[in-house]
Amino acid sequence: MDNKEKIKLKIRALLAKTTDNGATEAEMMEAMAKASELMQKYYIDSNDLNDPFLGERCVFQKTALLSSQYDTKIFIPHLAKLFDCEYFFNRYTKELTFFGFENDAELCVYFYKTVINTLLKEVSVFESSREFQYQKRYSATKTIKNSFIKGFVFRVAQKLNDMFKSRQAERTKERGLVLREKSKKVKDAFADENLNVQTIRQPKVTVEKRSFEAGQEAGDNFSIVQGIHFRY
């Protein structure tokens, strides 16, 4: 938390000293005078004090990263963006970490696990299908599975991005400003951690068209809407 945020917390504490809360009238007046002095000194107005995210901490939430020869990470940037979080990987511990407000970071971990578990089930179903057996006549098993997985995670990423755009469109001007401030707080707090991290690059790979389309179809059946509760 930067210095201005600490000053805001102090002002709020001073303004909370009222006779209803047990302070004497003299204590209340002294606290109000001190709060007014700080507000003028640091150019803080009442709108600043109404920040719904004031005092909330950004946290790290870790989960095991699926260790696979296939690339399953493509949807992660879209998941993090949907919940106003940052993310990074640890290649040595095989961990994926989301960084943001606690509830948001926890949701990222939950839905990452949900997507991966669904993907693994769909891959198993695809491997037992006639389509998979047919394609094995003409392509390597690894290529077929890789294309299916790419199709699935690309479609999930597309859904997450569509949800983000839909949420943006539904915001009123006031709520949009609040949420942009929320996103900025997360980014500033993440920058303060001084971590040396890399983001995901969109892979340039050749995919087997029929497997890719089968993966997309499986991704179409995945729904992430249930259980999501956005805070505005």
Side-chain angles (χ1 to χ4, degrees), residues 103-189:
N103 185 59
D104 298 327
E106 287 178 352
L107 282 172
C108 281
V109 169
Y110 170 77
F111 283 112
Y112 170 75
K113 292 179 178 179
T114 300
V115 171
I116 293 301
N117 289 335
T118 303
L119 169 61
L120 294 177
K121 291 178 183 178
E122 292 294 343
V123 170
S124 179
V125 170
F126 178 61
E127 286 183 294
S128 63
S129 69
R130 290 184 177 180
E131 177 65 27
F132 181 78
Q133 299 303 320
Y134 172 78
Q135 291 188 40
K136 282 176 64 176
R137 301 177 186 176
Y138 308 101
S139 300
T141 298
K142 180 178 179 180
T143 300
I144 300 170
K145 289 179 64 175
N146 188 55
S147 297
F148 179 88
I149 290 170
K150 289 272 188 286
F152 183 93
V153 294
F154 268 112
R155 183 51 56 89
V156 170
Q158 184 180 47
K159 283 190 170 186
L160 292 170
N161 194 47
D162 288 344
M163 289 178 66
F164 176 79
K165 290 180 179 179
S166 177
R167 186 186 68 169
Q168 294 286 86
E170 291 174 359
R171 291 171 173 171
T172 64
K173 183 177 181 181
E174 181 180 358
R175 288 191 302 179
L177 290 172
V178 169
L179 288 172
R180 282 196 292 275
E181 180 65 16
K182 174 188 175 184
S183 180
K184 182 177 183 300
K185 285 179 181 292
V186 173
K187 291 184 182 299
D188 289 345

Side-chain angles (χ1 to χ4, degrees), residues 4-212:
K4 190 169 183 179
E5 295 300 316
K6 293 178 182 178
I7 296 298
K8 288 181 183 180
L9 286 175
K10 186 173 183 178
I11 293 172
R12 285 166 65 92
L14 287 168
L15 293 177
K17 289 185 177 182
T18 65
T19 52
D20 290 339
N21 291 331
T24 65
E25 186 172 345
E27 289 172 335
M28 181 183 71
M29 297 302 293
E30 182 180 353
M32 289 181 65
K34 181 61 177 177
S36 178
E37 177 185 334
L38 289 172
M39 291 173 73
Q40 292 181 36
K41 181 178 180 180
Y42 292 97
Y43 303 100
I44 295 172
D45 60 25
S46 58
N47 290 328
D48 294 322
L49 298 177
N50 290 329
D51 182 351
F53 305 108
L54 184 65
E56 288 200 45
R57 292 187 307 113
C58 287
V59 300
F60 293 97
Q61 290 288 343
K62 298 180 180 180
T63 186
L65 183 66
L66 175 65
S67 179
S68 171
Q69 59 182 317
Y70 306 105
D71 189 356
T72 60
K73 301 190 292 294
I74 302 169
F75 71 94
I76 293 173
H78 302 278
L79 177 61
K81 182 174 69 172
L82 182 63
F83 290 103
D84 298 301
C85 287
E86 300 291 327
Y87 71 93
F88 61 91
F89 308 104
N90 188 319
R91 67 175 66 182
Y92 302 106
T93 62
K94 304 297 183 183
E95 288 179 323
L96 165 63
T97 300
F98 292 99
F99 180 83
F101 289 119
E102 186 171 5
N103 185 59
D104 298 327
E106 287 178 352
L107 282 172
C108 281
V109 169
Y110 170 77
F111 283 112
Y112 170 75
K113 292 179 178 179
T114 300
V115 171
I116 293 301
N117 289 335
T118 303
L119 169 61
L120 294 177
K121 291 178 183 178
E122 292 294 343
V123 170
S124 179
V125 170
F126 178 61
E127 286 183 294
S128 63
S129 69
R130 290 184 177 180
E131 177 65 27
F132 181 78
Q133 299 303 320
Y134 172 78
Q135 291 188 40
K136 282 176 64 176
R137 301 177 186 176
Y138 308 101
S139 300
T141 298
K142 180 178 179 180
T143 300
I144 300 170
K145 289 179 64 175
N146 188 55
S147 297
F148 179 88
I149 290 170
K150 289 272 188 286
F152 183 93
V153 294
F154 268 112
R155 183 51 56 89
V156 170
Q158 184 180 47
K159 283 190 170 186
L160 292 170
N161 194 47
D162 288 344
M163 289 178 66
F164 176 79
K165 290 180 179 179
S166 177
R167 186 186 68 169
Q168 294 286 86
E170 291 174 359
R171 291 171 173 171
T172 64
K173 183 177 181 181
E174 181 180 358
R175 288 191 302 179
L177 290 172
V178 169
L179 288 172
R180 282 196 292 275
E181 180 65 16
K182 174 188 175 184
S183 180
K184 182 177 183 300
K185 285 179 181 292
V186 173
K187 291 184 182 299
D188 289 345
F190 189 64
D192 289 342
E193 296 293 332
N194 292 317
L195 299 173
N196 183 18
V197 298
Q198 293 181 339
T199 55
I200 295 175
R201 295 180 179 178
Q202 293 299 312
K204 295 180 179 179
V205 296
T206 301
V207 296
E208 207 289 324
K209 187 174 184 295
R210 291 178 62 158
S211 298
F212 184 80

